[in-house]
Amino acid sequence: MSNKSEINRTAVSGKTRMTPSEAFVETLVANDVTDVFGIVGSALMDALDIFPASGIRYIPTVHEQGAAHMADGYARVSGRHGVCMAQNGPGITNFVTAVAAAYWAHTPVVVITPETGTMSMGLGGFQETDQLPIFSKITKFQGHLNNPRRMAEITGRCFDRAMLEMGPAQLNIPRDFFYGDFEFEIPKPIRIERGAGGAQSLDEAAALLAEAKFPVIVSGGGVVMSAGTDACVALADLLGAPVVNSYLHNDSFPANHPLWCGPLGYQGSKAGMKLIAQADVVLALGTRLGPFGTLPQHGMDYWPKDAKIIQVDADPRMLGLVKKISVGINGDAKAAAEALIERLEKKQLTCSANHEQRMAVIRKEKSEWEAELDGWTHERDAWSLEVTKDSPYMHPRQMLRELEKAMPEDAMVSTDIGNICSVANSYLRFNKPNSFFAAMSFGNCGYAFPTIIGAKLAAPDRPAVAYVGDGAWGMSFGEILTCVRENIPVTAVVFHNKQWGAEKKNQVDFYSNRFLGTNLENPSFAAIARSMGAEGMVIDKLDDVGPALRAACEAQKSGKTTIIEVMVTQELGDPFRRDALSNPVRFLDKNKSYV
Ligand SMILES: Cc1ncc(C[n+]2csc(CCOP(=O)(O)OP(=O)(O)O)c2C)c(N)n1
Ligand SMILES: [Mg+2]
């Protein structure tokens, strides 16, 4: 056991003789790593053994997928690297789904993948697979250690590139390369400041905004990642421009600000959609305008096709990729917003003339949408009405509204993939950034729970809440053990509707209610949670939802993880995307009735 007084958090400087394991750990220290998620294995043990002397905590998880999701959540809330490390072969392939999710969430996760030793590689011995191709499409950078002498250099580069390119970096280390005795120099981290973008494109953008009659800002993930919320607010105030959140970035603009109009995308804000539909100039700030996030919703094709689009993105490859743009700015969202403010302050703004009218339109659209949400107590399609008729359970929308009202001010919320989690988009509002961690474009069920565990470890004083459907919960509840064993208290709200609802919706809409593989027989999730050492509650009355959430968040302060199993009807909101399926066509006689 390490003695606390022996912990040294300063990496050795200058050329120093050490083992590659030591060089590896010193490079983690140089990058300020304090937590690493994973499951032990012989391949990492030589390095793992000395973690305590450098004050690095290893958080053993139930599954490596959980470990990589935790690293993702940890990084998303803190802006620091999330790190995971596991056994070569199966431990590493278990990372894959979560690394793909981190890739699409633009999260700087460093995935450390010890590999089969160089002297047996290719012989098909034990736990061998070629680990670079597997991650080649889901990482921004892959560092392969081709010589143990390069341990510090390549480890350092992975940390640099994860930050620079804002996504996962893989560090692949043949397991025999942890051993030896060489001179190393621990590299200083390279953190490159991102600028505002080219002066000419900023000038063009400012000119367009100055002439705009109805400018609208789309505030994206880049605003959160650049700590640019205040700059975005200042720019919106200057223009008097309504601001919508890009899909699943509901924490990218304070919901209590008068110009906030809610999220675009699936189950987003009708107010936001109606306002952006009127725009003559759109400033897409820190968003790639992902295709899924701008699809028609609520029967509205709201994207303003004739508007001039100014897009700001830190990744030049995203500029103009999905939507036609008039001006592309390759820059940091915060710096670009500040540079635009500087330019606009010197200009006459056309939109100042109709500022008050625009504010009135914003107020009207927002209050209409709130009233509609208040009245939208349940889904009204034929199937939903049928299944709710005799159900003793809660309507999901009403339950989500109660959760919204009870959510502590400083809460972090993660959401999974499913029908109810998606409907929650209308009810998740945040006043500060780094608060919302949805399963982003990769869209894997099983994301939310481990991700919130990682977030809680990085921000232990903030209430941490995961929204998860019962199907996705089956994939991920094992990590309750990590919460209990490692004392990382969180709250999971499990939407128990006895179905893989989002997929069942497709069978309702396209497959004449033939429910194959979508009905779920579940045990009591609350009882399972209790048997695993957490608290478990079953809630089936609307009045109990808010108090349960508040009590569970309060219990986090005394180290308790709580699973709130909410019993809801089987009604289903709009599907993910109507464009993805078409009505079945069958040629063979035996399939004739399957239409
Ligand atoms: C890993 C993974 N497997 C399958 C899917 C396909 N899928 C999307 S939503 C969904 C249903 C989710 O059901 P549940 O978690 O119970 O939430 P509900 O829709 O009932 O609210 C499934 C299976 C997926 N997105 N990810
Ligand atoms: Mg379900």
Side-chain angles (χ1 to χ4, degrees):
M1 283 304 286
S2 89
N3 176 337
K4 274 228 167 322
S5 64
E6 291 165 15
I7 294 173
N8 186 345
R9 293 283 306 160
T10 311
V12 290
S13 65
K15 282 206 161 72
T16 311
R17 187 176 168 198
M18 56 188 134
T19 68
S21 279
E22 289 177 305
F24 166 75
V25 174
E26 289 304 299
T27 312
L28 299 195
V29 171
N31 282 279
D32 202 22
V33 174
T34 51
D35 301 280
V36 176
F37 302 91
I39 292 182
V40 289
S42 53
L44 51 138
M45 225 161 242
D46 194 62
L48 179 67
D49 185 51
I50 54 175
F51 275 14
S54 287
I56 300 174
R57 176 177 173 188
Y58 190 67
I59 299 96
T61 62
V62 173
H63 192 288
E64 288 87 353
Q65 180 180 339
H69 281 318
M70 287 177 210
D72 184 354
Y74 184 98
R76 287 182 73 177
V77 72
S78 66
R80 297 166 60 201
H81 295 96
V83 186
C84 55
M85 184 173 186
Q87 175 73 342
N88 57 289
I92 303 311
T93 52
N94 274 353
F95 276 153
V96 171
T97 298
V99 175
Y103 179 85
W104 285 108
H106 316 288
T107 312
V109 169
V110 179
V111 194
I112 301 166
T113 63
E115 194 174 52
T116 306
T118 50
M119 292 307 290
S120 62
M121 216 170 261
L123 302 182
F126 188 53
Q127 300 180 324
E128 177 169 0
T129 185
D130 199 351
Q131 293 179 177
L132 289 168
I134 293 172
F135 291 91
S136 62
K137 299 290 183 194
I138 50 174
T139 48
K140 294 284 190 177
F141 179 72
Q142 295 183 290
H144 174 69
L145 201 69
N146 63 346
N147 188 304
R149 288 178 173 81
R150 300 184 68 185
M151 179 68 96
E153 174 205 342
I154 293 180
T155 301
R157 187 159 305 122
C158 285
F159 279 86
D160 292 344
R161 291 294 177 88
M163 263 322 155
L164 182 69
E165 302 202 29
M166 297 197 303
Q170 179 187 9
L171 172 59
N172 199 54
I173 309 173
R175 48 183 295 167
D176 49 323
F177 286 0
F178 282 101
Y179 304 96
D181 157 7
F182 310 102
E183 284 230 309
F184 289 99
E185 180 155 4
I186 307 303
K188 281 210 165 56
I190 301 172
R191 298 288 176 270
I192 310 291
E193 186 189 5
R194 252 180 275 275
Q200 193 185 324
S201 42
L202 286 163
D203 287 345
E204 283 172 25
L208 279 182
L209 284 167
E211 284 161 21
K213 293 195 188 67
F214 203 103
V216 174
I217 298 176
V218 183
S219 183
V223 173
V224 177
M225 289 170 216
S226 65
T229 311
D230 290 347
C232 183
V233 169
L235 180 57
D237 282 337
L238 180 65
L239 292 165
V243 181
V244 296
N245 309 107
S246 72
Y247 183 49
L248 298 179
H249 287 293
N250 301 19
D251 58 349
S252 62
F253 197 83
N256 57 7
H257 192 286
L259 290 168
W260 171 81
C261 298
L264 293 185
Y266 184 33
Q267 296 289 358
S269 155
K270 271 191 191 175
M273 295 174 201
K274 286 184 181 169
L275 285 157
I276 199 170
Q278 299 175 48
D280 60 344
V281 177
V282 172
L283 172 63
L285 190 60
T287 167
R288 66 189 176 94
L289 297 171
F292 191 59
T294 50
L295 284 175
Q297 290 300 322
H298 305 300
M300 266 186 278
D301 194 358
Y302 54 84
W303 190 257
K305 289 190 186 57
D306 299 327
K308 299 252 190 315
I309 312 291
I310 302 161
Q311 188 186 10
V312 179
D313 204 291
D315 180 351
R317 285 168 289 206
M318 297 303 127
L319 296 172
L321 178 66
V322 181
K323 296 285 181 203
K324 235 183 359 199
I325 58 172
S326 299
V327 182
I329 299 173
N330 178 206
D332 172 84
K334 177 187 181 184
E338 286 168 349
L340 287 172
I341 291 169
E342 206 183 299
R343 283 162 169 79
L344 289 169
E345 273 170 348
K346 297 179 199 133
K347 288 185 192 284
Q348 193 81 21
L349 302 180
T350 305
C351 60
S352 299
N354 58 3
H355 182 264
E356 270 320 304
Q357 277 159 275
R358 199 162 48 254
M359 290 308 295
V361 176
I362 293 170
R363 280 192 297 272
K364 173 177 158 289
E365 293 299 353
K366 279 170 70 167
S367 70
E368 278 182 20
W369 173 232
E370 286 312 311
E372 185 173 348
L373 279 178
D374 283 334
W376 199 346
T377 51
H378 59 88
E379 304 300 346
R380 293 171 187 129
D381 60 285
W383 189 80
S384 290
L385 292 174
E386 177 65 30
V387 288
T388 49
K389 218 170 39 196
D390 302 315
S391 172
Y393 298 134
M394 292 178 280
H395 293 299
R397 282 187 176 272
Q398 287 185 307
M399 178 275 300
L400 291 166
R401 198 64 154 166
E402 293 303 311
L403 288 176
E404 176 200 336
K405 285 189 233 157
M407 192 61 71
E409 170 66 24
D410 197 26
M412 309 179 279
V413 181
S414 67
T415 53
D416 221 284
I417 292 292
N419 192 272
I420 300 175
C421 279
S422 301
V423 172
N425 194 22
S426 293
Y427 306 92
L428 285 165
R429 291 111 192 259
F430 301 93
N431 294 328
K432 63 184 259 194
N434 304 103
S435 298
F436 184 34
F437 315 113
M440 308 302 290
S441 314
F442 195 57
N444 64 299
C445 289
Y447 180 87
F449 187 51
T451 299
I452 206 68
I453 299 171
K456 179 71 177 184
L457 188 70
D461 297 332
R462 297 181 64 187
V465 181
Y467 284 8
V468 192
D470 53 350
W473 185 244
M475 287 185 188
S476 49
F477 74 76
E479 297 298 348
I480 290 174
L481 293 176
T482 306
C483 299
V484 173
R485 289 170 178 156
E486 293 296 309
N487 191 24
I488 310 173
V490 302
T491 299
V493 185
V494 179
F495 306 137
H496 196 153
N497 62 2
K498 302 188 174 72
Q499 59 188 358
W500 293 102
E503 297 300 347
K504 183 182 266 189
K505 179 66 177 163
N506 293 324
Q507 295 171 329
V508 171
D509 288 350
F510 291 91
Y511 298 97
S512 304
N513 296 358
R514 290 188 295 276
F515 298 135
L516 261 78
T518 45
N519 286 323
L520 291 170
E521 273 305 322
N522 292 318
S524 160
F525 292 121
I528 291 178
R530 286 193 289 269
S531 75
M532 292 168 86
E535 300 286 328
M537 308 184 204
V538 181
I539 302 295
D540 53 13
K541 283 185 200 57
L542 221 44
D543 287 345
D544 296 337
V545 172
L549 180 68
R550 277 191 289 268
C553 288
E554 202 52 36
Q556 290 180 28
K557 293 182 187 154
S558 44
K560 272 284 171 199
T561 287
T562 307
I563 309 313
I564 306 173
E565 179 180 356
V566 292
M567 306 306 293
V568 285
T569 71
Q570 295 203 306
E571 69 200 90
L572 291 165
D574 270 358
F576 275 103
R577 45 192 311 184
R578 294 189 192 279
D579 64 319
L581 290 117
S582 36
N583 285 320
V585 176
R586 317 291 182 198
F587 286 105
L588 302 185
D589 275 350
K590 65 179 180 185
N591 297 336
K592 281 253 154 80
S593 62
Y594 291 81
V595 286

